[in-house]
């Protein structure tokens, strides 16, 4: 019993001693994404301000009689800024995944080393069993310290959570790209409709002028006929 208690005490001391290392490693790999995080946050602030400015600008342009093409260009500039910001969000999510996985791997290794002091006797029994199992081609059993460490710092769960964030960022980018396509297609469709309307109006005016000319010609002809 005394030996068991001593092992626990040693393990706890090791956990306390290594805990700062765990935190430092986590912070170290998190620091690799700091630049992207700062870039994204700064870009987000600029984007929000740009949205408000653009909304006012469009209203002013409409009031001043700006052309549809001029207004369309301003709208495209706004959505392009959102697309660029969305691309940075994807980069940030991908970098965060790498950071989280690397941190989980190292934290898992440190915790497994610490727990090996606590579960030493059991781990030794499991390792002995695994040696025998390998001789008879039986399935092996992971050590208790390995099992606990992998559960606490689960790499698969970490990667899965990161993949969700990446997917969300990619979905947002696609939505913005689709929105841009719709905006452009709607503008081009309206432009073609306006051009057709202008041609039709021009043809109508031309036909009206021709009709007036014919009417004047007929009247001149009648007047000339009467004078004869």
């Amino acid at each position: 019993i005394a030996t068991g208690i001593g092992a626990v005490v040693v393990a706890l001391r090791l956990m306390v001693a290594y805990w700062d290392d765990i935190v430092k490693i986590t912070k170290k790999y998190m620091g690799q994404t700091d630049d992207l995080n700062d870039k994204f946050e700064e870009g987000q602030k600029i984007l929000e301000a740009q949205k408000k400015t653009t909304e006012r600008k469009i209203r002013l342009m409409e009031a001043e009689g700006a052309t549809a093409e001029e207004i369309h260009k301003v709208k495209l500039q706004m959505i392009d800024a959102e697309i660029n910001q969305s691309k940075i969000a994807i980069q940030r999510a991908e970098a965060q995944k790498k950071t989280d996985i690397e941190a989980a791997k190292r934290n898992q290794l440190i915790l497994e080393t610490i727990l090996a002091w606590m579960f030493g006797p059991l781990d030794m029994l499991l390792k002995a069993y695994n040696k025998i199992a390998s001789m008879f081609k039986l399935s092996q059993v992971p050590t208790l310290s390995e099992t606990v460490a992998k559960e606490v710092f689960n790499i698969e769960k970490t990667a899965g959570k990161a993949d969700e964030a990446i997917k969300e960022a990619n979905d947002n980018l696609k939505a913005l790209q689709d929105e841009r396509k719709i905006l452009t297609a709607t503008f081009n469709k309206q432009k073609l409709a306006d051009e057709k309307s202008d041609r039709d109006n021009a043809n109508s005016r031309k036909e009206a002028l021709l009709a007036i000319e014919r009417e004047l010609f007929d009247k001149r002809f009648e007047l000339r006929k009467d004078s004869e």
Side-chain angles (χ1 to χ4, degrees):
I1 296 174
T3 303
I5 294 174
V8 171
V9 171
V10 170
L12 288 173
R13 285 177 179 174
L14 284 170
M15 287 182 73
V16 171
Y18 278 103
W19 188 251
D20 287 341
D21 292 334
I22 294 174
V23 173
K24 285 178 183 177
I25 288 173
T26 303
K27 287 182 178 180
K28 175 185 174 182
Y29 282 91
M30 284 180 65
Q32 294 178 358
T33 61
D34 282 349
D35 289 342
L36 277 174
N37 286 335
D38 292 343
K39 184 178 179 181
F40 178 81
E41 294 299 333
E42 184 64 25
Q44 199 65 22
K45 291 177 183 178
I46 294 172
L47 186 64
E48 292 301 322
Q50 187 177 350
K51 281 182 180 180
K52 295 178 181 179
T53 303
T54 300
E55 288 173 2
R56 291 195 300 270
K57 184 176 181 179
I58 290 174
R59 288 199 301 269
L60 181 60
M61 291 175 73
E62 289 172 344
E64 292 177 342
T67 65
E69 187 169 359
E70 290 171 335
I71 294 173
H72 177 65
K73 286 181 180 178
V74 173
K75 289 181 178 179
L76 285 183
Q77 289 172 357
M78 184 66 252
I79 200 167
D80 284 342
E82 292 184 76
I83 287 173
N84 289 334
Q85 180 69 357
S86 183
K87 289 178 179 178
I88 295 173
I90 293 173
Q91 294 174 2
R92 184 178 73 156
E94 290 173 345
Q96 189 65 52
K97 178 183 178 180
K98 292 179 181 178
T99 297
D100 291 347
I101 289 176
E102 288 301 320
K105 286 179 180 178
R106 282 153 180 78
N107 292 346
Q108 186 183 103
L109 181 60
I110 291 172
L111 183 58
E112 185 178 345
T113 302
I114 294 170
L115 293 176
W117 285 83
M118 295 178 64
F119 307 129
L122 287 174
D123 281 354
M124 288 179 64
L125 285 174
L126 290 172
K127 286 178 181 179
Y129 165 81
N130 287 334
K131 285 182 180 180
I132 297 171
S134 64
M135 294 172 60
F136 294 95
K137 297 182 179 180
L138 299 173
S139 59
Q140 298 191 7
V141 179
T143 62
L144 192 57
S145 56
E146 180 184 355
T147 301
V148 174
K150 285 185 176 179
E151 184 60 31
V152 173
F153 296 107
N154 192 300
I155 295 172
E156 288 75 18
K157 289 181 181 179
T158 299
K161 186 177 180 181
D163 285 337
E164 289 177 6
I166 292 172
K167 183 180 182 301
E168 183 179 350
N170 275 295
D171 288 346
N172 185 53
L173 173 61
K174 188 177 184 306
L176 288 169
Q177 290 172 332
D178 289 343
E179 186 179 340
R180 192 186 195 282
K181 290 177 182 177
I182 292 169
L183 183 65
T184 301
T186 302
F187 170 77
N188 289 335
K189 184 179 180 181
Q190 186 60 49
K191 184 179 179 181
L192 290 173
D194 291 343
E195 288 174 350
K196 184 178 182 302
S197 178
D198 291 341
R199 287 195 301 271
D200 292 342
N201 290 336
N203 290 332
S204 296
R205 288 193 297 270
K206 185 177 179 180
E207 289 174 3
L209 289 172
L210 289 173
I212 292 172
E213 288 179 358
R214 284 194 296 270
E215 185 178 353
L216 289 174
F217 177 80
D218 292 341
K219 287 183 178 180
R220 285 197 299 269
F221 180 77
E222 289 175 3
L223 289 172
R224 190 179 299 169
K225 187 177 180 182
D226 291 342
S227 64
E228 291 176 355

